[in-house]
Amino acid sequence: MDKTTKTVLIILGSLLVLCACGAAVVFGTGIWSFGKLVQFADQSTTEDPREVAQVASEIADFSVPEEY
């Protein structure tokens, strides 16, 4: 191989390694963020019927007019 080919291969290899590291960081932070989102949703919701009824009454507590 001549010097130009080696230089081009070194540059391409370096770019490939840099892109692979960047993709790994983005993928890792994405997984971490998704885990935090799932944890937040799990803590913010409930399946207990009494709590659901209480929250529902706080959101929309109204009486229907007699005309309806």
Side-chain angles (χ1 to χ4, degrees), residues 28-54:
T29 57
I31 290 175
W32 178 80
S33 297
F34 183 73
K36 285 293 191 182
L37 180 66
V38 169
Q39 182 182 16
F40 173 74
D42 191 36
Q43 291 175 351
S44 300
T45 57
T46 182
E47 293 180 4
D48 182 21
R50 288 176 286 181
E51 287 184 46
V52 170
Q54 179 186 2

Side-chain angles (χ1 to χ4, degrees), residues 1-67:
M1 271 193 257
D2 61 346
K3 186 175 180 178
T4 304
T5 305
K6 287 181 183 180
T7 303
V8 169
L9 288 176
I10 289 172
I11 291 172
L12 288 177
S14 299
L15 289 174
L16 180 66
V17 169
L18 183 65
C19 288
C21 290
V25 167
V26 169
F27 183 71
T29 57
I31 290 175
W32 178 80
S33 297
F34 183 73
K36 285 293 191 182
L37 180 66
V38 169
Q39 182 182 16
F40 173 74
D42 191 36
Q43 291 175 351
S44 300
T45 57
T46 182
E47 293 180 4
D48 182 21
R50 288 176 286 181
E51 287 184 46
V52 170
Q54 179 186 2
V55 171
S57 69
E58 291 173 5
I59 292 174
D61 191 18
F62 62 92
S63 57
V64 178
E66 292 181 18
E67 300 135 11

